[in-house]
Amino acid sequence: METQVRAEDRIAQAIEKTKDPALARELLREVRRLAEKFLEAHGRPAAFMEVCGSHTHALAEFGIKYALRDVLKLLSGPGCPVCVTDQQEIDAMIALADGEDRIITTFGDMLRVPGSRGSLMKVKAEGRADVRVVYSPSDAVEIAQRHPDKQVIFLGVGFETTIPVLAAAVYEAESLGLENFSMWMSGKLVEPIVRYLLDTGETHIDAFILPGHVATILGRKGFLWLAEEYGVNGVISGFEMNEILSSLYILLDLVLKGKAEIVNNYPYVVREEGNPGAWKLAEKYFMPVDMAWREIDVIPKSGMGFRPEYAHFDAKKRFPVTVGKPKPTACRCGEVIRGLIEPEECPLFGKACTPAHPIGPCMVSSEGACAAHYKYLRQ
Amino acid sequence: MPGKILERDEYTAIVDVMGSRLKIGILLTPDVEVGDWVLVHAGKALQVIDEQFALESIEAWKLINELREQGVIDPTDR
Protein backbone atom coordinates (compact mmCIF):
# COMPACT_ATOMS: atom_id res chain seq x y z
CA MET A 1 0.00 0.00 0.00
CA GLU A 2 1.25 3.44 -0.88
CA THR A 3 1.57 5.44 2.30
CA GLN A 4 3.00 8.77 1.21
CA VAL A 5 1.65 10.69 -1.73
CA ARG A 6 3.71 13.61 -3.01
CA ALA A 7 2.03 16.94 -2.30
CA GLU A 8 1.94 17.79 -6.03
CA ASP A 9 0.14 14.56 -6.89
CA ARG A 10 -2.38 14.76 -4.10
CA ILE A 11 -4.91 17.02 -5.81
CA ALA A 12 -4.91 15.09 -9.08
CA GLN A 13 -5.59 11.86 -7.27
CA ALA A 14 -8.22 13.42 -5.01
CA ILE A 15 -9.98 14.98 -8.03
CA GLU A 16 -10.15 11.65 -9.86
CA LYS A 17 -11.85 10.13 -6.84
CA THR A 18 -14.61 12.73 -6.60
CA LYS A 19 -18.04 11.85 -7.87
CA ASP A 20 -17.62 14.33 -10.70
CA PRO A 21 -13.92 14.70 -11.61
CA ALA A 22 -14.72 16.83 -14.67
CA LEU A 23 -16.48 19.35 -12.46
CA ALA A 24 -13.62 19.32 -9.95
CA ARG A 25 -11.05 19.93 -12.73
CA GLU A 26 -13.16 22.73 -14.16
CA LEU A 27 -13.60 24.33 -10.73
CA LEU A 28 -9.88 24.15 -10.05
CA ARG A 29 -9.13 25.75 -13.44
CA GLU A 30 -11.64 28.54 -12.77
CA VAL A 31 -10.34 29.16 -9.25
CA ARG A 32 -6.80 29.43 -10.64
CA ARG A 33 -7.94 31.75 -13.43
CA LEU A 34 -9.71 34.12 -11.01
CA ALA A 35 -6.83 33.94 -8.51
CA GLU A 36 -4.40 34.93 -11.30
CA LYS A 37 -6.72 37.76 -12.27
CA PHE A 38 -6.65 39.06 -8.68
CA LEU A 39 -2.88 38.68 -8.53
CA GLU A 40 -2.49 40.68 -11.73
CA ALA A 41 -4.90 43.40 -10.63
CA HIS A 42 -3.52 43.83 -7.10
CA GLY A 43 0.10 42.78 -7.47
CA ARG A 44 -0.32 40.24 -4.68
CA PRO A 45 -2.31 37.05 -4.17
CA ALA A 46 -5.72 37.21 -2.49
CA ALA A 47 -5.57 36.03 1.13
CA PHE A 48 -8.43 33.91 2.44
CA MET A 49 -8.60 32.58 5.97
CA GLU A 50 -10.48 29.49 7.12
CA VAL A 51 -11.67 29.46 10.72
CA CYS A 52 -12.57 25.81 11.00
CA GLY A 53 -10.15 23.00 11.72
CA SER A 54 -11.99 20.65 9.36
CA HIS A 55 -11.46 23.10 6.50
CA THR A 56 -7.78 23.41 7.44
CA HIS A 57 -7.49 19.68 7.22
CA ALA A 58 -9.47 19.30 4.01
CA LEU A 59 -7.49 22.04 2.20
CA ALA A 60 -4.26 20.18 3.01
CA GLU A 61 -5.63 16.66 2.61
CA PHE A 62 -7.09 17.23 -0.85
CA GLY A 63 -3.98 19.10 -1.99
CA ILE A 64 -5.89 22.33 -2.67
CA LYS A 65 -3.60 24.53 -0.58
CA TYR A 66 -0.51 23.17 -2.29
CA ALA A 67 -1.96 23.26 -5.80
CA LEU A 68 -2.86 26.95 -5.50
CA ARG A 69 0.11 28.11 -3.40
CA ASP A 70 1.56 30.34 -6.15
CA VAL A 71 -1.65 32.26 -6.80
CA LEU A 72 -3.75 32.17 -3.62
CA LYS A 73 -2.81 32.57 0.04
CA LEU A 74 -4.85 30.21 2.18
CA LEU A 75 -4.37 31.04 5.85
CA SER A 76 -5.31 28.74 8.69
CA GLY A 77 -7.05 30.76 11.38
CA PRO A 78 -8.24 30.09 14.91
CA GLY A 79 -10.56 27.23 14.00
CA CYS A 80 -9.31 24.38 16.15
CA PRO A 81 -10.83 24.75 19.64
CA VAL A 82 -8.05 22.89 21.43
CA CYS A 83 -5.34 24.86 19.61
CA VAL A 84 -6.75 28.24 20.66
CA THR A 85 -7.11 27.32 24.33
CA ASP A 86 -4.77 29.33 26.54
CA GLN A 87 -1.81 27.37 27.91
CA GLN A 88 -2.61 28.37 31.49
CA GLU A 89 -6.11 26.93 31.09
CA ILE A 90 -4.69 23.70 29.65
CA ASP A 91 -2.42 23.51 32.71
CA ALA A 92 -5.42 24.10 34.98
CA MET A 93 -7.42 21.28 33.30
CA ILE A 94 -4.49 18.90 33.76
CA ALA A 95 -4.02 19.97 37.41
CA LEU A 96 -7.76 19.43 37.92
CA ALA A 97 -7.32 15.76 37.13
CA ASP A 98 -5.22 15.19 40.26
CA GLY A 99 -7.50 13.92 42.99
CA GLU A 100 -8.83 10.51 43.92
CA ASP A 101 -12.39 11.67 44.28
CA ARG A 102 -12.89 12.53 40.64
CA ILE A 103 -13.19 11.25 37.08
CA ILE A 104 -12.14 13.58 34.28
CA THR A 105 -13.99 13.09 31.00
CA THR A 106 -13.02 14.69 27.73
CA PHE A 107 -13.08 14.52 23.95
CA GLY A 108 -10.07 12.59 22.62
CA ASP A 109 -8.19 15.61 21.27
CA MET A 110 -7.55 16.95 24.78
CA LEU A 111 -5.76 13.85 25.99
CA ARG A 112 -2.35 14.46 24.40
CA VAL A 113 -2.27 18.26 24.55
CA PRO A 114 0.94 19.14 26.37
CA GLY A 115 0.69 21.22 29.50
CA SER A 116 3.65 22.78 31.23
CA ARG A 117 4.02 19.55 33.24
CA GLY A 118 2.85 16.63 31.13
CA SER A 119 -0.55 15.93 29.63
CA LEU A 120 -3.81 14.29 30.68
CA MET A 121 -2.53 11.13 29.01
CA LYS A 122 0.59 11.25 31.18
CA VAL A 123 -1.29 11.67 34.45
CA LYS A 124 -3.62 8.86 33.35
CA ALA A 125 -0.72 6.57 32.42
CA GLU A 126 1.01 7.26 35.72
CA GLY A 127 -2.15 6.24 37.54
CA ARG A 128 -2.40 9.70 39.09
CA ALA A 129 -5.85 10.35 37.69
CA ASP A 130 -8.94 8.69 36.27
CA VAL A 131 -9.23 10.27 32.81
CA ARG A 132 -11.76 8.91 30.32
CA VAL A 133 -12.34 9.81 26.69
CA VAL A 134 -16.01 10.04 25.72
CA TYR A 135 -17.73 10.41 22.37
CA SER A 136 -20.39 12.74 23.73
CA PRO A 137 -20.63 14.89 26.88
CA SER A 138 -23.84 12.97 27.60
CA ASP A 139 -21.65 9.90 28.12
CA ALA A 140 -20.01 11.81 30.97
CA VAL A 141 -23.45 12.32 32.52
CA GLU A 142 -24.00 8.55 32.33
CA ILE A 143 -20.64 7.95 34.03
CA ALA A 144 -21.73 10.32 36.82
CA GLN A 145 -24.92 8.29 37.23
CA ARG A 146 -22.92 5.07 37.51
CA HIS A 147 -20.40 6.53 39.99
CA PRO A 148 -22.33 8.50 42.60
CA ASP A 149 -19.30 8.32 44.91
CA LYS A 150 -17.10 10.21 42.43
CA GLN A 151 -17.14 13.72 41.05
CA VAL A 152 -17.35 13.54 37.26
CA ILE A 153 -16.01 16.58 35.41
CA PHE A 154 -16.32 17.10 31.66
CA LEU A 155 -13.80 19.37 29.93
CA GLY A 156 -16.03 21.45 27.67
CA VAL A 157 -13.83 22.83 24.92
CA GLY A 158 -15.51 23.82 21.67
CA PHE A 159 -16.99 26.48 19.41
CA GLU A 160 -20.66 27.27 18.72
CA THR A 161 -21.20 23.82 17.14
CA THR A 162 -20.32 22.10 20.39
CA ILE A 163 -21.64 24.59 22.97
CA PRO A 164 -25.33 23.51 22.56
CA VAL A 165 -24.22 19.88 22.88
CA LEU A 166 -22.53 20.83 26.17
CA ALA A 167 -25.73 22.57 27.26
CA ALA A 168 -27.73 19.43 26.44
CA ALA A 169 -25.50 17.43 28.79
CA VAL A 170 -26.04 19.98 31.58
CA TYR A 171 -29.79 19.76 30.91
CA GLU A 172 -29.60 15.99 31.26
CA ALA A 173 -27.61 16.22 34.50
CA GLU A 174 -30.08 18.76 35.85
CA SER A 175 -33.08 16.61 34.88
CA LEU A 176 -31.50 13.66 36.68
CA GLY A 177 -30.77 15.79 39.75
CA LEU A 178 -27.09 14.80 39.62
CA GLU A 179 -24.93 16.51 42.19
CA ASN A 180 -21.68 14.86 41.14
CA PHE A 181 -21.51 16.17 37.55
CA SER A 182 -19.85 19.42 36.55
CA MET A 183 -18.22 20.94 33.51
CA TRP A 184 -15.00 22.92 33.04
CA MET A 185 -16.47 25.29 30.51
CA SER A 186 -14.13 26.66 27.88
CA GLY A 187 -16.52 27.55 25.07
CA LYS A 188 -15.15 29.80 22.32
CA LEU A 189 -17.04 32.17 20.04
CA VAL A 190 -16.06 32.75 16.40
CA GLU A 191 -17.27 36.33 16.04
CA PRO A 192 -15.07 37.96 18.74
CA ILE A 193 -11.89 36.26 17.53
CA VAL A 194 -12.56 37.16 13.89
CA ARG A 195 -13.27 40.75 14.97
CA TYR A 196 -10.00 40.70 16.93
CA LEU A 197 -8.05 39.59 13.86
CA LEU A 198 -9.67 42.25 11.69
CA ASP A 199 -9.35 45.00 14.32
CA THR A 200 -5.67 44.38 15.00
CA GLY A 201 -5.02 44.10 11.28
CA GLU A 202 -1.87 42.11 12.03
CA THR A 203 -2.82 39.65 9.28
CA HIS A 204 -4.12 40.87 5.96
CA ILE A 205 -7.29 38.92 5.14
CA ASP A 206 -9.38 39.56 2.03
CA ALA A 207 -12.19 37.13 2.85
CA PHE A 208 -13.17 34.22 5.09
CA ILE A 209 -14.11 30.62 4.40
CA LEU A 210 -16.71 30.40 7.13
CA PRO A 211 -17.20 27.32 9.29
CA GLY A 212 -20.04 25.16 7.96
CA HIS A 213 -20.88 23.47 11.23
CA VAL A 214 -20.77 26.60 13.37
CA ALA A 215 -23.11 28.11 10.76
CA THR A 216 -25.46 25.15 11.28
CA ILE A 217 -26.14 26.71 14.70
CA LEU A 218 -25.73 30.45 13.91
CA GLY A 219 -27.16 30.45 10.38
CA ARG A 220 -26.05 32.73 7.57
CA LYS A 221 -27.54 35.56 9.65
CA GLY A 222 -24.93 34.97 12.32
CA PHE A 223 -22.19 36.16 9.95
CA LEU A 224 -23.82 39.15 8.29
CA TRP A 225 -21.89 41.55 10.56
CA LEU A 226 -18.72 40.57 8.69
CA ALA A 227 -19.94 42.05 5.42
CA GLU A 228 -22.05 44.83 6.93
CA GLU A 229 -19.55 46.20 9.47
CA TYR A 230 -16.20 45.26 7.95
CA GLY A 231 -17.03 45.06 4.25
CA VAL A 232 -15.38 41.64 4.18
CA ASN A 233 -16.71 38.68 2.21
CA GLY A 234 -17.44 35.29 3.63
CA VAL A 235 -18.66 32.02 2.21
CA ILE A 236 -20.16 29.31 4.40
CA SER A 237 -18.64 26.15 3.03
CA GLY A 238 -19.08 22.41 3.23
CA PHE A 239 -16.11 20.08 3.45
CA GLU A 240 -15.95 18.05 0.24
CA MET A 241 -13.57 18.81 -2.62
CA ASN A 242 -16.11 20.41 -4.93
CA GLU A 243 -17.79 22.30 -2.10
CA ILE A 244 -14.47 23.84 -1.08
CA LEU A 245 -13.40 24.61 -4.66
CA SER A 246 -16.75 26.23 -5.42
CA SER A 247 -16.47 28.26 -2.19
CA LEU A 248 -13.06 29.56 -3.30
CA TYR A 249 -14.52 30.41 -6.70
CA ILE A 250 -17.37 32.36 -5.07
CA LEU A 251 -14.96 34.30 -2.82
CA LEU A 252 -12.63 35.19 -5.70
CA ASP A 253 -15.57 36.30 -7.78
CA LEU A 254 -16.79 38.54 -4.93
CA VAL A 255 -13.41 40.11 -4.12
CA LEU A 256 -12.78 40.78 -7.80
CA LYS A 257 -16.15 42.52 -8.08
CA GLY A 258 -15.44 44.46 -4.88
CA LYS A 259 -18.63 43.22 -3.26
CA ALA A 260 -19.14 42.44 0.41
CA GLU A 261 -21.48 39.51 0.89
CA ILE A 262 -22.01 36.45 3.02
CA VAL A 263 -22.88 33.51 0.77
CA ASN A 264 -24.32 30.26 2.04
CA ASN A 265 -22.61 27.60 -0.07
CA TYR A 266 -23.78 24.83 2.27
CA PRO A 267 -27.54 25.35 1.94
CA TYR A 268 -28.57 21.75 2.43
CA VAL A 269 -27.27 21.89 5.97
CA VAL A 270 -27.14 25.58 6.91
CA ARG A 271 -30.35 27.59 7.23
CA GLU A 272 -30.65 31.35 7.18
CA GLU A 273 -31.56 31.33 10.88
CA GLY A 274 -29.38 28.35 11.87
CA ASN A 275 -30.77 26.35 14.78
CA PRO A 276 -32.06 29.04 17.16
CA GLY A 277 -33.56 26.43 19.50
CA ALA A 278 -30.14 24.87 20.03
CA TRP A 279 -28.56 28.25 20.78
CA LYS A 280 -31.44 29.12 23.13
CA LEU A 281 -30.63 26.02 25.16
CA ALA A 282 -26.96 27.07 25.22
CA GLU A 283 -27.98 30.51 26.51
CA LYS A 284 -30.12 28.98 29.26
CA TYR A 285 -26.99 27.70 31.00
CA PHE A 286 -24.16 29.75 29.55
CA MET A 287 -23.41 33.43 28.95
CA PRO A 288 -20.62 35.30 27.17
CA VAL A 289 -17.54 35.63 29.37
CA ASP A 290 -14.08 37.11 28.92
CA MET A 291 -11.74 34.43 27.59
CA ALA A 292 -7.98 34.17 27.18
CA TRP A 293 -6.90 32.74 23.80
CA ARG A 294 -3.59 31.08 23.24
CA GLU A 295 -0.87 33.74 23.14
CA ILE A 296 -3.50 36.44 22.77
CA ASP A 297 -4.62 38.58 25.67
CA VAL A 298 -8.08 38.13 27.11
CA ILE A 299 -10.72 39.04 24.54
CA PRO A 300 -13.85 40.45 26.21
CA LYS A 301 -16.96 38.26 25.90
CA SER A 302 -15.24 35.87 23.53
CA GLY A 303 -16.12 32.70 25.41
CA MET A 304 -19.10 31.03 26.99
CA GLY A 305 -19.17 30.17 30.69
CA PHE A 306 -21.82 29.20 33.21
CA ARG A 307 -24.47 31.66 34.32
CA PRO A 308 -24.17 32.36 38.08
CA GLU A 309 -27.43 30.49 38.80
CA TYR A 310 -25.86 27.29 37.44
CA ALA A 311 -22.62 27.62 39.45
CA HIS A 312 -23.27 24.15 40.92
CA PHE A 313 -22.43 22.72 37.48
CA ASP A 314 -19.41 24.99 37.05
CA ALA A 315 -16.21 23.02 37.71
CA LYS A 316 -14.23 26.28 37.73
CA LYS A 317 -16.24 27.34 40.80
CA ARG A 318 -16.51 23.94 42.45
CA PHE A 319 -12.91 22.86 42.00
CA PRO A 320 -10.82 26.00 41.81
CA VAL A 321 -7.33 25.30 40.52
CA THR A 322 -4.39 27.64 40.81
CA VAL A 323 -1.58 27.25 38.33
CA GLY A 324 1.33 29.57 37.69
CA LYS A 325 2.09 31.35 34.46
CA PRO A 326 3.39 28.78 32.00
CA LYS A 327 7.03 28.96 31.04
CA PRO A 328 7.44 30.27 27.51
CA THR A 329 8.56 27.69 24.95
CA ALA A 330 9.74 28.05 21.37
CA CYS A 331 6.33 26.76 20.18
CA ARG A 332 4.71 29.26 17.83
CA CYS A 333 1.16 27.88 17.80
CA GLY A 334 -0.10 31.29 18.88
CA GLU A 335 1.18 32.84 15.65
CA VAL A 336 -0.02 29.90 13.54
CA ILE A 337 -3.63 30.29 14.73
CA ARG A 338 -3.57 34.00 13.89
CA GLY A 339 -2.39 33.34 10.36
CA LEU A 340 0.90 35.18 11.01
CA ILE A 341 3.15 32.29 10.11
CA GLU A 342 2.89 28.97 8.33
CA PRO A 343 3.63 25.94 10.53
CA GLU A 344 6.95 25.37 8.70
CA GLU A 345 8.17 28.74 9.97
CA CYS A 346 8.16 27.46 13.56
CA PRO A 347 11.68 26.30 14.46
CA LEU A 348 10.25 23.22 16.19
CA PHE A 349 8.09 22.04 13.26
CA GLY A 350 8.97 18.55 12.09
CA LYS A 351 12.06 18.49 14.30
CA ALA A 352 11.39 18.72 18.03
CA CYS A 353 7.64 18.84 17.36
CA THR A 354 6.00 15.98 15.46
CA PRO A 355 2.65 14.17 15.83
CA ALA A 356 4.46 11.47 17.82
CA HIS A 357 6.12 14.04 20.11
CA PRO A 358 4.02 17.20 19.92
CA ILE A 359 5.13 20.35 21.68
CA GLY A 360 2.02 22.40 20.94
CA PRO A 361 -1.69 21.70 20.45
CA CYS A 362 -1.58 22.59 16.73
CA MET A 363 0.46 19.42 16.21
CA VAL A 364 -1.74 17.31 18.52
CA SER A 365 -5.26 17.98 17.40
CA SER A 366 -6.60 16.34 14.26
CA GLU A 367 -7.91 19.83 13.43
CA GLY A 368 -4.60 21.59 13.99
CA ALA A 369 -2.76 23.39 11.20
CA CYS A 370 0.64 21.92 12.16
CA ALA A 371 -0.72 18.37 12.11
CA ALA A 372 -2.26 18.99 8.66
CA HIS A 373 0.97 20.47 7.32
CA TYR A 374 3.05 17.67 8.76
CA LYS A 375 0.86 14.98 7.18
CA TYR A 376 0.19 16.51 3.79
CA LEU A 377 2.39 19.49 2.98
CA ARG A 378 5.86 18.61 4.19
CA GLN A 379 8.45 18.73 1.43
CA MET B 1 -21.87 12.79 9.85
CA PRO B 2 -25.36 12.44 8.38
CA GLY B 3 -27.67 9.88 9.97
CA LYS B 4 -31.22 8.70 9.25
CA ILE B 5 -33.70 8.56 12.14
CA LEU B 6 -35.00 5.00 12.53
CA GLU B 7 -36.76 5.31 15.88
CA ARG B 8 -37.26 8.08 18.39
CA ASP B 9 -38.56 8.65 21.87
CA GLU B 10 -38.77 11.88 23.82
CA TYR B 11 -35.08 12.78 24.03
CA THR B 12 -33.21 10.14 22.07
CA ALA B 13 -33.29 8.50 18.67
CA ILE B 14 -31.75 5.52 16.96
CA VAL B 15 -30.04 6.62 13.75
CA ASP B 16 -28.44 4.76 10.89
CA VAL B 17 -25.02 6.26 10.24
CA MET B 18 -23.51 4.54 7.19
CA GLY B 19 -25.00 1.21 8.24
CA SER B 20 -24.26 1.49 11.96
CA ARG B 21 -27.07 1.94 14.47
CA LEU B 22 -26.28 4.69 16.96
CA LYS B 23 -28.23 6.14 19.84
CA ILE B 24 -28.12 9.93 19.76
CA GLY B 25 -29.75 12.81 21.60
CA ILE B 26 -32.41 14.91 19.88
CA LEU B 27 -32.79 17.65 22.46
CA LEU B 28 -31.44 20.21 19.97
CA THR B 29 -33.78 19.05 17.18
CA PRO B 30 -36.96 18.15 19.09
CA ASP B 31 -39.16 18.07 15.98
CA VAL B 32 -37.29 15.34 14.08
CA GLU B 33 -39.38 12.51 12.73
CA VAL B 34 -38.63 8.95 11.75
CA GLY B 35 -37.18 9.03 8.22
CA ASP B 36 -35.57 12.47 8.63
CA TRP B 37 -31.86 12.92 7.98
CA VAL B 38 -29.86 14.77 10.59
CA LEU B 39 -26.33 16.09 11.02
CA VAL B 40 -24.80 14.30 14.03
CA HIS B 41 -22.12 15.97 16.17
CA ALA B 42 -20.77 14.62 19.50
CA GLY B 43 -23.75 12.33 19.97
CA LYS B 44 -26.45 14.92 19.25
CA ALA B 45 -28.48 15.75 16.17
CA LEU B 46 -27.64 19.37 15.32
CA GLN B 47 -29.89 19.99 12.35
CA VAL B 48 -32.33 18.27 10.03
CA ILE B 49 -30.68 18.13 6.62
CA ASP B 50 -31.74 17.57 3.06
CA GLU B 51 -31.99 13.88 2.14
CA GLN B 52 -30.32 14.27 -1.24
CA PHE B 53 -27.39 16.05 0.40
CA ALA B 54 -27.17 13.35 3.06
CA LEU B 55 -26.97 10.61 0.45
CA GLU B 56 -24.36 12.49 -1.58
CA SER B 57 -22.39 13.19 1.57
CA ILE B 58 -22.36 9.49 2.44
CA GLU B 59 -21.01 8.75 -1.05
CA ALA B 60 -18.29 11.32 -0.42
CA TRP B 61 -17.44 9.74 2.93
CA LYS B 62 -17.16 6.36 1.21
CA LEU B 63 -14.79 7.89 -1.33
CA ILE B 64 -12.69 9.39 1.44
CA ASN B 65 -12.46 5.96 3.07
CA GLU B 66 -11.43 4.52 -0.30
CA LEU B 67 -8.76 7.22 -0.68
CA ARG B 68 -7.46 6.38 2.78
CA GLU B 69 -7.29 2.69 1.93
CA GLN B 70 -5.31 3.51 -1.20
CA GLY B 71 -2.93 5.72 0.74
CA VAL B 72 -3.92 8.88 -1.15
CA ILE B 73 -5.12 10.13 2.23
CA ASP B 74 -3.26 9.09 5.36
CA PRO B 75 -5.23 6.13 6.75
CA THR B 76 -4.10 6.83 10.30
CA ASP B 77 -5.63 10.27 10.23
CA ARG B 78 -8.83 10.96 12.26
Side-chain angles (χ1 to χ4, degrees):
Chain A
M1 188 179 80
E2 190 185 3
T3 54
Q4 187 64 45
V5 174
R6 291 192 315 160
E8 51 264 44
D9 297 335
R10 193 170 286 282
I11 194 157
Q13 294 195 24
I15 281 175
E16 289 313 312
K17 293 292 174 187
T18 61
K19 197 174 168 191
D20 190 345
L23 175 64
R25 276 192 294 272
E26 178 66 17
L27 277 170
L28 183 62
R29 259 197 308 274
E30 280 298 296
V31 167
R32 174 167 279 281
R33 185 178 67 79
L34 293 191
E36 282 169 353
K37 208 168 152 187
F38 186 98
L39 182 60
E40 206 180 298
H42 296 265
R44 62 167 180 86
F48 297 160
M49 176 179 272
E50 80 271 0
V51 277
C52 169
S54 298
H55 283 148
T56 299
H57 222 95
L59 285 162
E61 185 173 313
F62 297 145
I64 297 171
K65 182 162 175 158
Y66 187 84
L68 296 168
R69 68 195 182 289
D70 55 330
V71 288
L72 184 61
K73 203 168 172 185
L74 291 167
L75 301 163
S76 300
C80 156
V82 171
C83 307
V84 300
T85 301
D86 184 48
Q87 189 65 55
Q88 198 163 1
E89 184 156 20
I90 299 277
D91 288 348
M93 286 190 260
I94 295 167
L96 182 72
D98 277 322
E100 288 189 357
D101 64 326
R102 58 193 67 163
I103 300 171
I104 301 295
T105 52
T106 173
F107 291 132
D109 271 6
M110 275 300 298
L111 212 61
R112 294 176 63 232
V113 175
S116 300
R117 295 193 189 102
S119 62
L120 284 171
M121 186 178 265
K122 186 163 180 266
V123 295
K124 180 183 164 78
E126 289 170 354
R128 279 161 50 205
D130 188 346
V131 181
R132 303 184 191 184
V133 171
V134 293
Y135 162 63
S136 166
S138 300
D139 298 341
V141 176
E142 279 187 34
I143 292 172
Q145 269 184 289
R146 288 202 304 274
H147 297 278
D149 55 323
K150 298 271 189 184
Q151 288 295 330
V152 175
I153 305 162
F154 183 78
L155 305 178
V157 179
F159 281 101
E160 284 92 336
T161 319
T162 307
I163 291 168
V165 179
L166 301 175
V170 179
Y171 174 88
E172 286 156 8
E174 187 185 29
S175 307
L176 293 164
L178 292 181
E179 291 179 2
N180 65 327
F181 175 83
S182 60
M183 194 175 277
W184 184 282
M185 191 55 193
S186 185
K188 316 285 196 309
L189 300 173
V190 171
E191 181 177 334
I193 188 67
V194 169
R195 282 183 184 271
Y196 170 89
L197 293 174
L198 291 169
D199 289 342
T200 59
E202 58 184 10
T203 315
H204 178 80
I205 306 161
D206 290 298
F208 284 88
I209 304 166
L210 296 170
H213 292 145
V214 166
T216 305
I217 301 298
L218 300 183
R220 189 184 79 95
K221 263 193 159 178
F223 290 98
L224 292 179
W225 58 271
L226 183 61
E228 287 169 0
E229 293 179 42
Y230 287 88
V232 171
N233 289 293
V235 61
I236 297 165
S237 180
F239 302 88
E240 308 308 340
M241 167 79 93
N242 285 350
E243 289 174 331
I244 294 175
L245 286 174
S246 60
S247 294
L248 293 176
Y249 177 84
I250 290 166
L251 282 186
L252 282 161
D253 186 48
L254 288 172
V255 292
L256 280 165
K257 286 176 180 159
K259 285 186 174 178
E261 285 182 24
I262 303 300
V263 175
N264 180 4
N265 194 33
Y266 200 28
Y268 305 107
V269 173
V270 173
R271 310 278 155 79
E272 184 69 8
E273 307 283 336
N275 184 341
W279 197 246
K280 201 173 162 195
L281 185 75
E283 288 183 321
K284 174 179 158 70
Y285 297 105
F286 309 132
M287 56 187 257
V289 292
D290 297 348
M291 176 73 64
W293 296 62
R294 192 179 178 90
E295 287 176 42
I296 297 175
D297 284 339
V298 170
I299 301 177
K301 310 284 184 214
S302 64
M304 288 293 262
F306 276 95
R307 290 185 179 279
E309 57 267 41
Y310 292 102
H312 50 296
F313 287 116
D314 186 350
K316 288 182 182 176
K317 294 267 168 21
R318 286 181 60 173
F319 308 101
V321 178
T322 311
V323 288
K325 273 225 164 296
K327 272 189 277 179
T329 72
C331 168
R332 295 178 71 185
C333 269
E335 290 159 88
V336 170
I337 60 168
R338 281 137 73 198
L340 294 175
I341 62 163
E342 290 289 337
E344 290 83 351
E345 292 174 62
C346 173
L348 306 179
F349 179 83
K351 299 179 186 93
C353 185
T354 64
H357 299 284
I359 305 286
C362 299
M363 189 60 93
V364 177
S365 172
S366 61
E367 296 191 352
C370 296
H373 274 241
Y374 188 88
K375 284 177 185 159
Y376 305 119
L377 296 167
R378 242 176 341 139
Q379 290 301 295
Chain B
M1 294 287 291
K4 187 177 186 178
I5 306 278
L6 301 176
E7 301 164 25
R8 66 156 291 175
D9 59 26
E10 196 177 355
Y11 296 121
T12 61
I14 303 295
V15 290
D16 178 319
V17 176
M18 290 178 71
S20 299
R21 283 168 72 92
L22 288 181
K23 187 179 175 183
I24 61 160
I26 52 170
L27 193 61
L28 307 176
T29 53
D31 300 328
V32 289
E33 293 173 6
V34 170
D36 281 349
W37 285 84
V38 291
L39 185 72
V40 181
H41 171 67
K44 293 279 182 286
L46 281 192
Q47 183 67 279
V48 177
I49 58 175
D50 178 87
E51 180 175 6
Q52 184 60 31
F53 169 80
L55 294 172
E56 284 174 10
S57 177
I58 285 170
E59 285 306 309
W61 276 102
K62 285 181 183 164
L63 279 171
I64 287 171
N65 283 339
E66 207 179 299
L67 290 170
R68 291 206 170 111
E69 278 166 17
Q70 293 171 4
V72 177
I73 291 173
D74 184 346
T76 60
D77 172 48
R78 284 195 281 195

